[in-house]
Amino acid sequence: MSWQTYVDDHLMCEIEGNHLTSAAILGQDGSVWAQSDNFPQFKPDEIAGIIKDFNEPGSLAPTGLFLGGAKYMVIQGEAGAVIRGKKGSGGVTIKKTSQALVIGVYDEPLTPGQCNMIVERLGDYLIDSGL
């Protein structure tokens, strides 16, 4: 299965008639393994900041999480495993695996919990698969 299939079939899936706004799977070096057509054009330093927060939990809280120039307020996550951000009626969930970052961006009517479930379920599957 290609990485694009994971994005198209598992991250951009429909849940109760809704789906993520955009999604991607990135290598921890910031390389794009696969992404939805409308995933934000991010900057390398934004990914570096996310990786730093996984290694030093709380480092993004004072400045916020940036993705594609959009600023998200960092909310509760799981130190070293999941970062969650909120921006207006939407937000972002990022799950770290041993080799990748699984990222989902959402907006209403999709709920934060639905986004978390979609992203974290695929992330856990990849971790269980050694990725």
Side-chain angles (χ1 to χ4, degrees):
M1 188 181 304
S2 78
W3 289 112
Q4 192 61 48
T5 303
Y6 282 104
V7 170
D8 296 342
D9 295 350
H10 298 282
L11 293 177
M12 297 302 290
C13 64
E14 189 172 299
I15 296 217
E16 297 175 14
N18 305 310
H19 51 81
L20 294 174
T21 306
S22 61
I25 301 173
L26 307 179
Q28 290 186 16
D29 59 358
S31 61
V32 177
W33 292 6
Q35 65 183 20
S36 61
D37 292 337
N38 56 347
F39 192 75
Q41 184 63 45
F42 59 87
K43 298 176 184 74
D45 60 325
E46 293 173 336
I47 301 305
I50 291 167
I51 291 292
K52 180 179 179 189
D53 193 79
F54 279 119
N55 296 328
E56 300 171 29
S59 64
L60 282 178
T63 59
L65 182 158
F66 287 86
L67 188 64
K71 181 178 181 179
Y72 296 85
M73 178 178 67
V74 178
I75 55 176
Q76 100 292 351
E78 294 173 42
V82 179
I83 298 171
R84 298 184 183 110
K86 185 88 173 121
K87 176 177 177 267
S89 62
V92 62
T93 301
I94 306 169
K95 172 78 175 181
K96 180 179 179 257
T97 73
S98 58
Q99 300 177 28
L101 300 175
V102 180
I103 305 173
V105 178
Y106 71 94
D107 212 335
E108 286 184 339
L110 196 78
T111 67
Q114 289 170 321
C115 178
N116 296 343
M117 183 182 69
I118 293 166
V119 171
E120 293 177 39
R121 185 171 47 195
L122 179 60
D124 289 340
Y125 171 78
L126 295 177
I127 290 169
D128 291 345
S129 300
L131 299 167

